[in-house]
Amino acid sequence: MAISSSLPQDRRAWAEWAAILLVFVLHGAWPVPEVNEPYYLGKAIHFWNPGWVGEDFFLDSSDTHTVFYLSIGWLSLLLPPTAMAWSGRLMVWGLMAWAWQRLSWAVLPRPWWSVLSAALLVCLNERCHMAGEWIVGGVEAKGLAFVAMFLGLEALVRGRWNLVWTLFGLSAMFHVLVGGWAVVAAAFAWLLFAGESFGRKRPEGDTADRAAPSGGEAADDGAVPSLRAMLPGLLLGGLLSLPGLIPSLMLTWNVDSETVRQANIIYVYHRLPHHLDPLSFPEHFVRRFMLLSLLWTVLAWQLRRVAGQRRMAAFVLGSLLLAAVGAAIALFGRGDPGTTAGLLRFYWFRTSDVAVPLAVALGGTARLAVGLRRGSEWGGAPIGELHPAAVRIAGSIALGVAIFHVGGYALLRTQPVVPRADRLPAYGSWKLACRWIADEENVPADARFLTPRLNQTFKWYTARSEVVTMKDIPQDAHSIVAWWARLEDVYGTGSRDPYERWHRCLADVEPQRLRRLGEKYDAQYVLTFVRPPLPMLRVYANRVYAVYQLEGELPAADEQNIPPDHSDERGPGEP
C-alpha cells in the first residue's frame, strides 16, 4: 500500500503490469527454441515464406492456426527465427500480463495483489496440472488464445455476458479448442444461474461498475441476462471464431471414415496420449490435480455468496465436468478405440488444467486480502471471518510458494541450459552438425535429410527439409496417416514389442534400406550418430554426429576412418 500511495494511478498500473510481466518472463524464459516453437513458428515462417525449408512434408501440410500465422509470422520477414521467437514471446507475455492484471482487479481491485496471484498461477499450473497443459511458455497459438480467455473471464466476473461470448469467440479464432471449451464452460455457468435470474429487471452490467463497500469486487446481485439479450455477443463471438473453426473442420472434410478412424487412433494413442488419454496420465499427476481441485472446492464454498465468484466457480465446475466426460469416454470406450479416439482428440482436460489453478490463485489471494483486513464481507456479501493466525499461516504459505517458484527460476535464468526442444544427446555436437549443414557451401538449400526420429530442431537450425520426425505430426487426417506410415517406414523395426518398435538410430538401419528410403522420399543425406559408422560417403563428422551422402560407397577399409573431430565446443551440461 505504501508503494501504491507514492505513485500516481497510471504509473502504479504500469509498474504493476511490469511486475506481472517479470513473473511471466522469469517463469517462461527458457532458451530458444522452446518445445513447441519449432513446430508453430516453423509453420508461421513457412506460411509467410514458402521458400524457407521448401517442399517439407510437415510444413507443406494443412495450416490450422492461420490467424496465429498471420499475427506472428510476419516477424520472420524482418528477424531471424531466434529473434522472432523472443519478440513473439515478449508480445504474448505482455498482453497476457495486461489481461491477467484486468482479471485480477475484477476479482480484487487492490494494488499489487495481481502480482502475487500471477506467481501462484504459473506455479500451480506447472506443478499441479493433470494433462500437461501450460499457460506461460513458448510462442504458439494458444498463448494469444489465453489472452482473450483471461479477458473473457474478467467479463464473466463482472457479469458482462455479451462481452464474455465475444472474447471467447476471439480466443477460438486463435485456438479453436481453448476458446471453444471456454464457451462450453461459460454456457454451463449461464445455465446454472439463469433460472433464478430471468425475473429480475436489471440491465446487463448495471451493477458491475458499482464500488464494493468492502474493497472487494464490484457489487453485483448475480443476475444473468436472457438468451435473447445475449444474442449480439453470441453472434459476434461466433463470427470471430470462424477463422479458427473452419480450418479445423476442413481437417476431415471429404475424408473417408476409415482414414479418419486411423488418424484419430494415431493422434490419440500413439502421438499424444499424455495430453488426451487419461488412462495414460501418470498417477501422481492425477493425485496432485485432485488435491488442488479439493482446495478450490473449499475456496469456492467460502466465496459462494459473492456473485462474481459464483460465476467463476460455475465456469471451473464446467471445466471439471468436461474433464469428467473425457475420463468417462476413455474408461468406457476401450472396446471401440476408433470411436473413442475420435472423441478424445478434442482435449477434454485442457480447460480444467488452466481453470482450477487460475481460480485457486485468484480466489486464494482475494480471500487472503480480505482476511488480512479482518473483514468478514466481500463485495457486500458475507464470507465469514478467518482467525488471524490462520490468515498469517495461509499468507506465509502463499508468499513462500510464490517466492520459491519465481525466485528459483530467477536463479535458473542465470545458468546456461539446453533449450528444452533439444532432447538429443550432446547439444553442442548437434548444433555444430546443424551449423555445418546450414552452410550452402556444404549442403544445397533444397537438400532433404533422413534425421534422428526424436529430434525437434533440425529444420530450425538448418533451414533444410527432412523426411519425417516424431514431433512434427500434421493436423489433417490424410497427412496424419501418411506421417505414421513414414515413421514406420523409416524407423520401424517390425517388432510388435513397444520397447523394440523403433531403431535406436539410423546408423542401425541397413545401408541398402537407407538408400531405398532416400530414393523413395527424395532424400540425399543422412544425419545420425557417428557410431556405428555406415558404409557410405561421410561428408561430415564430429565426436557424436555424422552426415552421410546417400549416393556413393566407401571401400571397406575406410569404414572406420572417422574424419577429424570438428566438435570444438560443448553445450550446457555436456562433458
Side-chain angles (χ1 to χ4, degrees):
M1 296 299 292
I3 296 177
S4 64
S5 63
S6 65
L7 291 170
Q9 181 67 18
D10 56 344
R11 291 181 59 193
R12 189 232 16 102
W14 279 105
E16 186 175 315
W17 168 82
I20 299 171
L21 176 59
L22 179 62
V23 168
F24 290 168
V25 168
L26 291 174
H27 175 83
W30 294 96
V32 173
E34 179 62 304
V35 173
N36 289 335
E37 284 177 332
Y39 187 100
Y40 281 92
L41 292 183
K43 289 283 279 185
I45 296 171
H46 189 74
F47 181 87
W48 283 84
N49 179 15
W52 185 81
V53 194
E55 298 186 11
D56 181 82
F57 170 72
F58 166 67
L59 294 180
D60 289 338
S61 64
S62 297
D63 293 321
T64 322
H65 302 288
T66 307
V67 177
F68 171 76
Y69 305 149
L70 290 171
S71 303
I72 297 292
W74 62 271
L75 289 170
S76 66
L77 303 178
L78 307 173
L79 301 170
T82 298
M84 173 193 177
W86 278 113
S87 300
R89 287 182 184 186
L90 291 174
M91 181 183 75
V92 172
W93 295 341
L95 290 171
M96 194 175 291
W98 167 69
W100 182 260
Q101 185 182 31
R102 291 184 61 93
L103 173 56
S104 182
W105 270 76
V107 173
L108 179 69
R110 292 180 58 192
W112 304 109
W113 285 90
S114 60
V115 182
L116 175 60
S117 65
L120 292 175
L121 169 74
V122 292
C123 175
L124 295 174
N125 173 243
E126 179 177 275
R127 301 175 189 275
C128 297
H129 66 79
M130 179 171 63
E133 189 58 50
W134 52 266
I135 299 172
V136 178
V139 187
E140 60 177 87
K142 68 181 180 181
L144 292 171
F146 282 137
V147 171
M149 178 181 170
F150 288 172
L151 294 174
L153 288 174
E154 179 208 355
L156 181 69
V157 170
R158 296 189 185 277
R160 296 168 179 168
W161 285 90
N162 270 301
L163 191 56
V164 169
W165 309 121
T166 301
L167 289 168
F168 285 166
L170 180 64
S171 179
M173 181 172 69
F174 287 102
H175 196 295
V176 68
L177 290 177
V178 172
W181 284 135
V183 168
V184 174
F188 174 82
W190 179 81
L191 288 171
L192 196 61
F193 297 109
E196 66 186 45
S197 304
F198 280 160
R200 302 180 185 180
K201 303 297 184 181
R202 179 178 65 89
E204 179 192 351
D206 180 61
T207 63
D209 296 323
R210 293 207 302 263
S214 66
E217 66 171 17
D220 189 342
D221 62 7
V224 297
S226 67
L227 185 60
R228 175 181 294 181
M230 296 189 303
L231 280 179
L234 289 168
L235 290 174
L236 181 55
L239 289 174
L240 287 173
S241 71
L242 291 180
L245 179 61
I246 291 175
S248 299
L249 295 176
M250 292 180 65
L251 297 177
T252 56
W253 197 269
N254 289 330
V255 181
D256 64 277
S257 58
E258 181 55 29
T259 299
V260 172
R261 179 181 179 277
Q262 292 179 30
N264 291 336
I265 291 174
I266 292 167
Y267 193 79
V268 172
Y269 294 125
H270 296 303
R271 178 61 185 88
L272 295 166
H274 55 292
H275 291 312
L276 304 176
D277 180 13
L279 300 183
S280 298
F281 297 166
E283 289 187 10
H284 67 284
F285 280 24
V286 178
R287 286 195 295 268
R288 69 188 187 186
F289 179 79
M290 296 302 293
L291 287 174
L292 187 66
S293 299
L294 181 61
L295 175 59
W296 166 77
T297 302
V298 173
L299 282 170
W301 179 255
Q302 287 192 339
L303 306 176
R304 67 190 182 280
R305 294 186 178 90
V306 183
Q309 282 299 297
R310 286 205 309 275
R311 288 190 288 268
M312 177 70 80
F315 179 90
V316 177
L317 182 58
S319 75
L320 289 171
L321 289 177
L322 288 173
V325 171
I329 291 170
L331 187 62
F332 298 108
R334 283 298 187 182
D336 186 0
T339 302
T340 303
L343 295 172
L344 288 179
R345 70 188 181 96
F346 292 113
Y347 287 82
W348 294 86
F349 311 93
R350 165 167 279 167
T351 309
S352 59
D353 263 10
V354 173
V356 174
L358 179 149
V360 170
L362 289 173
T365 52
R367 186 67 184 92
L368 181 62
V370 175
L372 287 173
R373 296 184 65 183
R374 302 289 180 89
S376 60
E377 289 189 355
W378 180 15
I383 60 173
E385 187 172 354
L386 293 176
H387 192 280
V391 174
R392 288 193 296 270
I393 293 173
S396 299
I397 292 174
L399 190 61
V401 166
I403 292 174
F404 175 80
H405 182 81
V406 178
Y409 272 120
L411 292 175
L412 181 62
R413 298 304 174 224
T414 66
Q415 306 296 320
V417 295
V418 174
R420 295 199 294 183
D422 283 292
R423 298 184 177 182
L424 293 180
Y427 169 68
S429 297
W430 171 255
K431 283 288 296 290
L432 283 170
C434 291
R435 188 180 304 164
W436 184 87
I437 293 168
D439 189 338
E440 289 193 30
E441 293 185 2
N442 301 322
V443 177
D446 60 352
R448 182 172 293 121
F449 279 72
L450 294 169
T451 56
R453 179 176 63 94
L454 296 180
N455 104 80
Q456 300 181 23
T457 57
F458 176 80
K459 288 192 284 286
W460 184 267
Y461 292 138
T462 68
R464 298 298 188 273
S465 174
E466 56 191 331
V467 174
V468 67
T469 68
M470 189 70 181
K471 176 66 175 179
D472 289 346
I473 181 173
Q475 295 295 302
D476 62 287
H478 275 305
S479 296
I480 290 174
V481 174
W483 167 81
W484 187 251
R486 285 187 176 220
L487 279 175
E488 292 190 314
D489 196 18
V490 174
Y491 308 106
T493 63
S495 173
R496 295 185 177 181
D497 185 342
Y499 297 101
E500 302 292 335
R501 182 167 200 158
W502 310 110
H503 284 291
R504 182 186 66 88
C505 69
L506 289 170
D508 292 336
V509 180
E510 298 84 356
Q512 296 79 5
R513 180 180 171 187
L514 289 175
R515 289 192 175 88
R516 288 196 300 270
L517 291 169
E519 293 176 1
K520 181 175 181 179
Y521 298 110
D522 192 25
Q524 298 80 38
Y525 296 90
V526 176
L527 171 59
T528 186
F529 293 107
V530 72
R531 293 188 182 279
L534 288 168
M536 296 178 178
L537 179 59
R538 185 165 39 246
V539 294
Y540 171 86
N542 58 44
R543 68 191 188 95
V544 179
Y545 296 97
V547 177
Y548 296 91
Q549 220 171 298
L550 283 169
E551 295 181 358
E553 184 171 342
L554 291 176
D558 291 334
E559 289 181 14
Q560 304 300 324
N561 182 23
I562 306 295
D565 188 354
H566 294 282
S567 184
D568 55 358
E569 61 184 61
R570 302 288 185 266
E574 183 181 340

